[in-house]
Every structure is written in C-alpha cells, then in structure tokens.
Amino acid sequence: MARKINAGDNVGRFDVFQVDPRNVKVNPALRARWEEEPPGPERVQELAESFLQHGQSNPCVARMDPADKTLIIEQGQTRHAAAMWIVENRDPKFRLQVKVVDRNEEEGFVCAIEENRIRTETTAMDDAYNMRRLRGHYGWDDPKIEALFKCRSAYLRNLETLLTLPVRIQRMVHRGELAVSNAVLLANLAGDDLQEALAEAESQRTSNGRVTGAAVRPAVRNRAKNGQKVARTLKDIRESVAAICLRTDAPPKVQEFTGLFQGFAKGEVSEDEFSDRIVALLG
C-alpha cells in the first residue's frame, strides 16, 4: 500500500530495490579511493554484523547498465561487500538495499568523489588516484579538477609527484604516517638512495608512528646527488611565497603566510609543522 506523508509540495520518490548482492556488478575503479588499499575483511565483517543487528540504514547507489539492465554499484561498494559476506556466511536470503539513479559512469564517479570528501576524510592518495582517472579516463583538464577538489595547481603538482613514488611510500601517506611535503622530498631520490633514506627516516618514527620532516630532511639531504640541498630553508620558502604573491593581484592568504613566518621565526612553530602548513596553504 502506498504510504502517505505530510511533507509539503513537490515530494518525490527514489526507486529503492532489495536485490541479491550476487546479481549486482561492482567496478573497484569507481570507488573513488586509492586502489592499493581497499576495505579490509575486518571492516567488511564489522559492517555486516551491523547490518544484521540494525539493518542497512543507507542504501547503495547504482545505475543500470543499458546493455543488460543489470545494476552497477556507484556508491557503497563496502556496503555491497558486507552484504556479500552475509550471504556467503550467515543468511543466503539477505538482500542489499540499492537506490537506482539515472546517470552515466563519469557522473557517477564524480558523485562518488563528492560523497567521499563530504562523508569521510579523504587522503592525498585518494585525490591522486581520482585526479589520474579524471584526466586519463574522462579527459578532464586541470582547472576543472581544481574546481572539483577546491584546490590550487600546486596541490595537483604534489599529487603528480606522489604517483611516481613506490607503493610503500604512498601507503604511508595514505595512512597519515608521512606528510605529503615529506613524501615530495623523498621523490628527489631514486633506487638505493631512496630506500636507504626511507629506512633511515623510518628508524626515527615518533611515538604515534609518524615519520616527520625532522627525520626525512637530513636523510634526503645526505643522499642528494652532487651535494644538492633538497631541504628548503626559510629563506627559500620566503622567496618562493613572495614570488607567488607578486603574481597575484589580491593574494587571499598573505596574512596566513605572514603569521606563519613570524611564528616560525619566534620558535612557536616547529620546522616540520611549518613545512606541512606551507604545503597546505599553497595547495
């Protein structure tokens, strides 16, 4: 029986279906997450147990494949994995709630990016993966990506650098163990020099498991070819920022830069924090 509700005018409906998760298609490339670290089995089982106790409160979002009318998950691949776990381990009659929308693959991928950025904190590696797919698969240019990410071109340059690094370092960035600025420093090295610098820096992990710039910079500097000074000094950064400000008609972040410089000069801001915040401001 149709349900009547009092919610004013222009009330609409979504098509929400209860389907066998085994009959739904999943493309991991459309998760809008870094592809090297999908949800682990513990997370999937935890969500599955929640479904069994409390139900699935948030339906997946899917579009219909025009070729065969089957559903393709766009948002909620972890929810789908949890439903599959239930079907395979607890209740073969369990059904996944799916909201069906009308849009193409590109629109679905962009919606997944937006949902991830709003619902949960995304990482630089998530952004790097999404940037690469938007460019290579959908033909987006940098201004369009910058508008979606709400960032500046300098941030995209850092993402490009992250994609050149070994998966081990990318994973550290993804897990919050290594700041983007420090990963970019490591990109100045290659081969054995890179591995040795990383090992040296990792040997000085903090109590919370982070590898800080205080450990990375000396390790990189000691191995930079031809004695190149890779670590950027306060003077280097000041000159770089000054050049950026001169090229900008109305720099919106001059006060933030000024306060950051003053704090660093007074010793109120550590060198590691200074480096990280500079990268964030330029991004």
Side-chain angles (χ1 to χ4, degrees):
M1 183 177 67
R3 178 174 296 175
K4 295 182 179 180
I5 61 174
N6 183 12
D9 298 328
N10 299 320
V11 176
R13 284 180 176 269
F14 276 111
D15 289 329
V16 178
F17 296 86
Q18 293 186 330
V19 301
D20 187 331
R22 292 169 292 192
N23 296 331
V24 178
K25 297 177 182 178
V26 174
N27 182 354
L30 301 180
R31 286 185 65 240
R33 293 286 191 183
W34 184 51
E35 56 194 351
E36 294 293 339
E37 194 156 288
E42 297 84 3
R43 168 60 181 150
V44 171
Q45 185 174 348
E46 179 185 11
L47 185 58
E49 297 289 356
S50 176
F51 282 2
L52 290 171
Q53 293 182 30
H54 309 292
Q56 181 188 346
S57 59
N58 191 14
C60 299
V61 178
R63 61 184 174 86
M64 188 170 62
D65 187 339
D68 57 10
K69 308 299 184 184
T70 56
L71 296 179
I72 305 173
I73 294 290
E74 288 186 345
Q75 297 163 240
Q77 292 194 18
T78 305
R79 281 164 273 172
H80 174 267
M84 286 293 294
W85 187 91
I86 294 173
V87 167
E88 294 171 355
N89 294 278
R90 294 287 184 82
D91 181 6
K93 295 183 179 180
F94 183 85
R95 293 298 178 259
L96 178 70
Q97 293 184 29
V98 179
K99 180 172 67 177
V100 181
V101 296
D102 294 321
R103 58 190 176 209
N104 60 33
E105 179 184 295
E106 179 181 342
E107 293 169 334
F109 185 67
V110 172
C111 286
I113 292 175
E114 292 280 25
E115 181 191 59
N116 288 343
R117 292 175 69 88
I118 294 172
R119 182 170 53 86
T120 58
E121 182 179 357
T122 54
T123 72
M125 288 313 307
D126 292 330
D127 289 343
Y129 168 78
N130 293 334
M131 176 193 69
R132 181 170 59 188
R133 184 169 181 84
L134 288 169
R135 281 177 174 173
H137 200 76
Y138 303 119
W140 282 37
D141 58 19
D142 285 3
K144 192 173 180 180
I145 297 174
E146 290 164 18
L148 177 63
F149 287 3
K150 298 178 177 61
C151 72
R152 296 189 178 184
S153 59
Y155 183 61
L156 298 190
R157 302 292 84 75
N158 284 337
L159 297 184
E160 291 170 357
T161 301
L162 290 180
L163 291 171
T164 68
L165 290 166
V167 171
R168 178 184 174 189
I169 297 178
Q170 293 178 346
R171 183 170 289 111
M172 292 172 66
V173 173
H174 185 67
R175 294 177 177 177
E177 300 170 3
L178 182 69
V180 173
S181 57
N182 296 326
V184 170
L185 280 180
L186 287 167
N188 288 277
L189 303 176
D192 291 341
D193 286 337
L194 174 58
Q195 297 303 323
E196 291 172 5
L198 180 59
E200 179 182 326
E202 282 196 282
S203 69
Q204 304 176 53
R205 282 180 181 266
T206 62
S207 58
N208 61 1
R210 286 179 56 85
V211 178
T212 66
V216 171
R217 282 186 288 273
V220 173
R221 187 187 302 115
N222 293 337
R223 291 168 177 81
K225 294 181 179 180
N226 302 319
Q228 177 188 10
K229 299 296 185 180
V230 177
R232 297 169 65 186
T233 63
L234 174 61
K235 180 175 179 294
D236 295 329
I237 299 176
R238 188 190 299 274
E239 291 176 352
S240 175
V241 172
I244 292 173
C245 290
L246 287 174
R247 294 197 307 266
T248 307
D249 294 333
K253 296 187 176 181
V254 171
Q255 291 184 349
E256 289 101 317
F257 281 126
T258 301
L260 189 55
F261 286 132
Q262 291 174 345
F264 183 70
K266 294 177 181 178
E268 298 171 352
V269 178
S270 69
E271 186 178 356
D272 192 49
E273 181 184 356
F274 178 79
S275 176
D276 291 346
R277 288 178 61 186
I278 281 290
V279 171
L281 285 170
L282 292 177

